[in-house]
Amino acid sequence: MPHGLFMATTLQAPPTVKLPGPGSLRRVILRDSDAPSTGIWIALAAITMTFAAFTSAMLVRQGSANDWRHFSFPIILYFNTAVLFASSLTLQIGRRRFSRFDTERHGEARPTITALYGTLALGCTFVFAQYAAWQQLRSEGLYLSSAPSSSFFYVFTALHALHVIGGVLGLVYVIRKLHRGVLRTNTFAAASQYWHFMGLLWLYLLVLLRTRI
Amino acid sequence: MHELSTHAANHAPPQSFLRKYVFSVDHKVIGKQYYGLGLLAVLIGMVLSWLMRIHLVWPNFAIPGLQWLSSAGAPGGVITPEYYLQLMTMHGTLMVFFVLTNVPFAGFGNYFLPIQIGAEDMAFPRFNMMSFWVTFVGFCVLVAAFFVGDGPPLSGWTAYAPLSAIPGSGPGQATGQTLWAISIATFCIGQLLGSLNFITTTLDLRTKGMTLMRMPLCTWAWFITSCIGLLAFAVLLPACILLILDRVAGTSFFVPSNLVVSDQLVNLSGGSPLLWQHLFWFFGHPEVYIAILPAAGIVSHILVNSYRRPLLSHKAIIYCMMAIGFLSYMVWGHHMFLSGMNPFSALVFSFPTLVITIPATILVLIWIGSLYGANLQINSASLFALGFISMFVSGGVSGFFLAQPSIDVYLHGTYFVVGHFHMVMGVAAIFGMFAGTYFWAPKMFGRMMNETWGKIHFWGTFVGTYCIFMPFHYLGMIGNVRRYSAFVDDYLQVPQPVSLLGLHFSVSPIEVHEFISIAALFTGAVQLIFVYNLIYSRFKGTPAPENPWQGTSLEWATSSPPPWDNFGGRLPVVYHDPYQYGIEGASGDFVMQNSSEHIQTVREDKKVI
């Protein structure tokens, strides 16, 4: 046992922690993992940071030269916004049905799955309708490299659509698990959180693009 | 020892060879894969630095065989100035991304974080596997740049636009630069997945009794680093996407108007080169801490073990690392003092740069101050940990000078900066890796490493690195510019008066360069001892006991190497703070975290040296 000065002083200091039984057990951490819900918050933080970086790049690029070109905003995007919000709504209906199914034990999984198919269909509609918006821009001669404003428009909408496709895959995973009856509440909650976040992110992008372009 | 039986493990034991060693979801295998990838990258990076050092001082020396790698870049084995820059770019990129990020953070972190918090695996084992393989793809894409077109890019690891955005701006700037951008974007995705896993695992999978403050310091360092990485790589990824679009899709995010390259007007316009620098350095400075914080954590973990006493303050180290992580996001502009940024913003960035030295200094003072009353055990691991402090201080002190915009204007383009960042970030982090390897190899491979070879390796590396990087500071102060491929017939040939340790003599800067090159060749050769030791010990070393260093944390509470589910299906329960060394009244010199022994614990605030 080493006897430095540190050891000498600890000898004099009275023990400040006295515990019954073996050692001290400060806190019990439940073994039921919260990992999906924690993980999704962290993933959303990273996604937020990515879009924040793109936003700041857009503001800097707009101020760096006089070549920013304003163009007419595709009207179909408002329709797309409504579609995405409707998809969040059906997802929420699915969650309510799921919680009833979850608590009753003998309930049917089918109503939940129906609602989720609705979300899935609306999500896919959104992605295709975004494609329609790009087609409209192309018909006006606005391509990715035509102007910095159109560049950012394509970058923002394409990356958002990519994230929505990720959400669609997540929903497919949830539906498969539900079919087999092995869906965990946390997984479903995380997938829905991601989906709703995509709606919010889209709303932000809509305002950003509408005001800047 | 009280243990708690728990539910079934996260995943079943792997059966096939492919699932066990290649596409494994086991965090220990993934940690070793990262380590192996880092080792491969560091060997390539080191050879590249040799080639550069040889060319710098013997510009006409023909390196046998190099012409086969690039007949245009090294005709007859003699490196061209452009190829020198291409080698430099690859050296920097490989070292910063695939070594300094991969080994101390992703490698050791993957292996030991779950074990140290008493978990069976990471929170998302499949994402973890994807994280490694995505990184591996990034590595392959980067190295492929050597073999396609006219070689790797020459724009440096920082890939400053518009040089990096115009395919015709030099050799390697066409395919090579595109591969670079794709590689780094891929790397970002891998690191984001990794960070997500680290954070979630630390927050959610701690075993019973493992409070946050009871986590070992290296676990804390990995946790803080993953928080930094999550936000930093989330910014570099968009930057790389925009760069790729500039290169392949004809957009102009970074290319300014009226740019003439190779006597031709570039048809892109309106972009902002400064935008790239802002986005890059917003990632780039936190990246310095992504490299150094895990090393600092590993070193703290090893030092407290070899001191056989607790550090002066466990909490202060954690809070300092948090402060460093937070401040690392506010200092990126100090890389851009000469970029044409508004001079007033230079002042704004200078201040937090000076402030960040305060938590860094507190860390160093705790490491050194805790030596008082310690019963220091000298072995390869603790030598490298102490060497880390030396490198960190020596390299950090020159940071004070560079943080002042007025001094940086003179020094920024010189070898002073090269000396500074290699010591404080590169070599210091590498010392952390060596310390970690000597310390944890018994756990990872089940065999002890040879101590004699380890000590020879340490002294060779320690002396060698000082011989390489200290003279760089001198060269910078006399105005020797960096990034030039060779110095012939110029001011570097003129002897300069030097006073060193009371001796007065004159030496020409090019002779200093020759000294550095010889030291670099020597130090590199010393690393072969390490590689030999690692490989030999892996197969022929003495079998390691469960707890060879008499450590207290949970990695020493399981067999060496641990079983596939880390604790054989029964997770440990934690009763004590992580570093209970030399506690009065305890049955031995140390009390393990999962020991049920009742000891008199001294509270942090009552602790006196």
Side-chain angles (χ1 to χ4, degrees):
Chain A
M1 166 87 58
H3 276 272
L5 188 53
F6 170 71
M7 311 308 161
T9 45
T10 53
L11 262 182
Q12 293 152 11
T16 49
V17 181
K18 270 191 179 170
L19 290 152
S24 74
L25 196 58
R26 277 194 209 150
R27 191 157 67 97
V28 174
I29 289 161
L30 289 175
R31 289 292 305 158
D32 273 338
S33 164
D34 285 335
S37 27
T38 312
I40 206 69
W41 276 113
I42 293 158
L44 295 185
I47 294 170
T48 307
M49 196 67 187
T50 307
F51 279 88
F54 276 121
T55 306
S56 75
M58 176 167 153
L59 301 184
V60 171
R61 178 63 184 83
Q62 191 177 8
S64 77
N66 295 322
D67 58 351
W68 197 260
R69 212 166 108 196
H70 294 279
F71 54 84
S72 59
F73 202 64
I75 301 298
I76 192 174
L77 292 180
Y78 296 115
F79 166 74
N80 298 0
T81 313
V83 169
L84 204 53
F85 270 77
S87 75
S88 273
L89 210 66
T90 53
L91 183 62
Q92 223 34 43
I93 293 170
R95 287 197 66 184
R96 291 187 71 163
R97 288 179 185 173
F98 180 71
S99 69
R100 232 175 301 152
F101 161 64
D102 208 23
T103 44
E104 282 173 12
R105 293 279 168 209
H106 300 295
E108 274 277 319
R110 180 54 53 188
T112 314
I113 294 174
T114 314
L116 290 185
Y117 274 131
T119 311
L120 213 56
L122 287 167
C124 293
T125 312
F126 173 81
V127 175
F128 283 114
Q130 291 291 79
Y131 183 73
W134 297 334
Q135 288 298 333
Q136 191 186 330
L137 285 192
R138 287 161 72 94
S139 67
E140 292 167 23
L142 281 166
Y143 296 91
L144 178 63
S145 57
S146 303
S149 47
S150 67
S151 304
F152 275 106
F153 181 87
Y154 281 107
V155 167
F156 272 123
T157 50
L159 283 173
H160 178 262
L162 214 60
H163 280 88
V164 172
I165 291 170
V168 166
L169 295 178
L171 278 184
V172 169
Y173 176 80
V174 165
I175 292 171
R176 273 184 55 194
K177 291 268 172 185
L178 201 54
H179 262 302
R180 283 198 238 136
V182 289
L183 179 65
R184 288 165 60 176
T185 324
N186 274 344
T187 311
F188 192 17
S192 334
Q193 215 170 332
Y194 179 86
W195 192 269
H196 293 325
F197 181 80
M198 282 307 127
L200 278 180
L201 181 63
W202 173 249
L203 203 63
Y204 163 74
L205 291 180
L206 188 78
V207 172
L208 181 77
L209 295 172
R210 184 71 193 87
T211 49
R212 290 278 156 182
I213 283 170
Chain B
M1 189 185 296
H2 280 238
E3 282 179 334
L4 189 76
S5 74
T6 57
H7 64 343
N10 281 342
H11 51 79
Q15 302 297 335
S16 70
F17 176 82
L18 215 59
R19 297 298 271 171
K20 210 168 172 178
Y21 298 108
V22 186
F23 298 107
S24 172
V25 289
D26 183 351
H27 69 100
K28 296 187 289 300
V29 177
I30 295 167
K32 283 188 198 170
Q33 286 171 330
Y34 268 116
Y35 188 91
L37 183 65
L39 205 59
L40 179 65
V42 81
L43 288 174
I44 300 174
M46 193 182 77
V47 170
L48 296 179
S49 71
W50 274 352
L51 297 176
M52 285 190 288
R53 286 311 309 177
I54 289 171
H55 176 74
L56 256 174
V57 294
W58 303 293
N60 298 317
F61 182 79
I63 295 154
L66 198 60
Q67 67 272 26
W68 291 320
L69 189 61
S70 171
S71 53
V78 180
I79 295 170
T80 60
E82 290 81 8
Y83 202 60
Y84 172 87
L85 292 175
Q86 293 171 286
L87 297 177
M88 183 191 80
T89 304
M90 291 300 270
H91 168 78
T93 311
L94 280 170
M95 290 299 202
V96 171
F97 291 101
F98 293 95
V99 179
L100 299 181
T101 311
N102 259 2
V103 179
F105 174 54
F108 287 131
N110 255 310
Y111 199 103
F112 287 104
L113 187 138
I115 305 183
Q116 286 186 340
I117 61 169
E120 287 160 336
D121 205 317
M122 285 281 185
F124 309 110
R126 280 193 199 84
F127 276 163
N128 206 16
M129 177 182 77
M130 270 166 63
S131 145
F132 172 75
W133 285 105
V134 165
T135 310
F136 183 74
V137 168
F139 174 79
C140 293
V141 170
L142 184 72
V143 173
F146 271 117
F147 307 103
V148 294
D150 40 9
L154 50 65
S155 59
W157 82 279
T158 53
Y160 274 8
L163 186 58
S164 60
I166 309 289
S169 58
Q173 291 303 94
T175 328
Q177 186 72 65
T178 307
L179 289 177
W180 183 94
I182 292 171
S183 160
I184 299 308
T186 319
F187 185 85
C188 290
I189 295 169
Q191 291 304 309
L192 286 173
L193 287 174
S195 299
L196 172 71
N197 239 326
F198 275 48
I199 299 174
T200 315
T201 307
T202 314
L203 290 179
D204 281 345
L205 296 191
R206 278 169 290 129
T207 189
K208 201 173 178 185
M210 178 61 83
T211 57
L212 282 173
M213 279 300 162
R214 278 182 176 176
M215 295 195 307
L217 288 168
C218 46
T219 304
W220 263 106
W222 291 317
F223 176 60
I224 294 167
T225 305
S226 47
C227 295
I228 302 176
L230 188 82
L231 301 183
F233 286 107
V235 173
L236 184 62
L237 181 60
C240 285
I241 291 174
L242 295 182
L243 183 65
I244 294 170
L245 289 178
D246 266 10
R247 297 182 54 79
V248 303
T251 57
S252 181
F253 297 109
F254 304 123
V255 185
S257 305
N258 305 322
L259 183 71
V260 176
V261 172
S262 309
D263 294 331
Q264 284 192 327
L265 185 67
V266 175
N267 64 355
L268 300 172
S269 65
S272 166
L274 265 188
L275 173 61
W276 168 264
Q277 292 195 28
H278 277 296
L279 289 174
F280 185 86
W281 286 118
F282 187 84
F283 145 80
H285 200 80
E287 165 64 29
V288 172
Y289 296 102
I290 292 172
I292 204 70
L293 277 186
I298 293 169
V299 162
S300 310
H301 186 70
I302 294 172
L303 283 181
V304 65
N305 176 276
S306 35
Y307 288 177
R308 310 308 297 171
R309 59 153 288 182
L311 293 179
L312 289 182
S313 174
H314 182 69
K315 283 184 183 166
I317 290 196
I318 295 167
Y319 293 143
C320 282
M321 289 197 294
M322 283 180 182
I324 289 174
F326 176 72
L327 286 168
S328 73
Y329 281 102
M330 303 186 169
V331 298
W332 80 89
H334 70 219
H335 298 269
M336 298 167 60
F337 287 157
L338 294 189
S339 65
M341 186 177 69
N342 187 327
F344 289 111
S345 47
L347 281 178
V348 175
F349 284 117
S350 176
F351 180 67
T353 306
L354 289 168
V355 171
I356 208 169
T357 58
I358 296 171
T361 309
I362 296 175
L363 285 183
V364 171
L365 290 179
I366 292 176
W367 291 328
I368 297 177
S370 307
L371 268 168
Y372 194 72
N375 178 18
L376 182 63
Q377 313 286 308
I378 293 286
N379 49 42
S380 310
S382 66
L383 280 175
F384 270 106
L386 293 167
F388 167 91
I389 303 177
S390 171
M391 294 295 156
F392 189 65
V393 172
S394 303
V397 165
S398 52
F400 281 106
F401 300 96
L402 295 170
Q404 331 266 343
S406 50
I407 304 177
D408 186 64
V409 166
Y410 175 80
L411 290 174
H412 191 82
T414 71
Y415 269 100
F416 192 88
V417 174
V418 180
H420 163 70
F421 73 74
H422 272 94
M423 281 195 115
V424 78
M425 169 190 181
V427 182
I430 296 229
F431 268 53
M433 280 157 47
F434 283 140
T437 307
Y438 285 109
F439 191 69
W440 280 321
K443 185 56 64 180
M444 290 169 78
F445 306 112
R447 288 177 189 271
M448 306 296 290
M449 285 181 77
N450 186 306
E451 275 295 313
T452 316
W453 284 117
K455 283 174 184 160
I456 295 171
H457 172 225
F458 169 75
W459 287 111
T461 311
F462 186 75
V463 173
T465 10
Y466 267 104
C467 287
I468 299 170
F469 296 112
M470 268 298 155
F472 274 145
H473 290 85
Y474 163 74
L475 288 171
M477 282 190 281
I478 62 165
N480 188 352
V481 283
R482 58 180 168 141
R483 302 196 183 105
Y484 282 26
S485 76
F487 303 99
V488 280
D489 300 331
D490 68 357
Y491 66 102
L492 290 190
Q493 310 287 342
V494 183
Q496 309 278 333
V498 180
S499 300
L500 187 69
L501 305 170
L503 298 169
H504 303 283
F505 53 97
S506 68
V507 59
S508 72
I510 200 71
E511 286 167 344
V512 178
H513 270 298
E514 282 170 13
F515 174 76
I516 293 174
S517 290
I518 292 164
L521 291 169
F522 164 77
T523 315
V526 169
Q527 306 317 308
L528 297 178
I529 299 176
F530 170 75
V531 176
Y532 168 78
N533 194 353
L534 191 67
I535 295 171
Y536 180 85
S537 312
R538 167 69 185 80
F539 298 103
K540 296 276 175 72
T542 329
E546 195 172 286
N547 189 359
W549 312 114
Q550 309 206 310
T552 51
S553 43
L554 291 181
E555 76 261 37
W556 307 115
T558 180
S559 59
S560 306
W564 67 273
D565 60 354
N566 293 346
F567 297 99
R570 295 166 68 82
L571 291 185
V573 179
V574 169
Y575 298 104
H576 303 294
D577 284 343
Y579 302 118
Q580 301 295 345
Y581 292 104
I583 300 297
E584 279 302 323
S587 58
D589 167 44
F590 65 104
V591 179
M592 295 194 66
Q593 281 196 281
N594 64 335
S595 157
S596 56
E597 184 178 344
H598 186 192
I599 51 166
Q600 298 173 353
T601 316
V602 182
R603 267 203 201 143
E604 189 92 5
D605 49 28
K606 299 267 181 186
K607 208 185 284 174
V608 205
I609 42 169

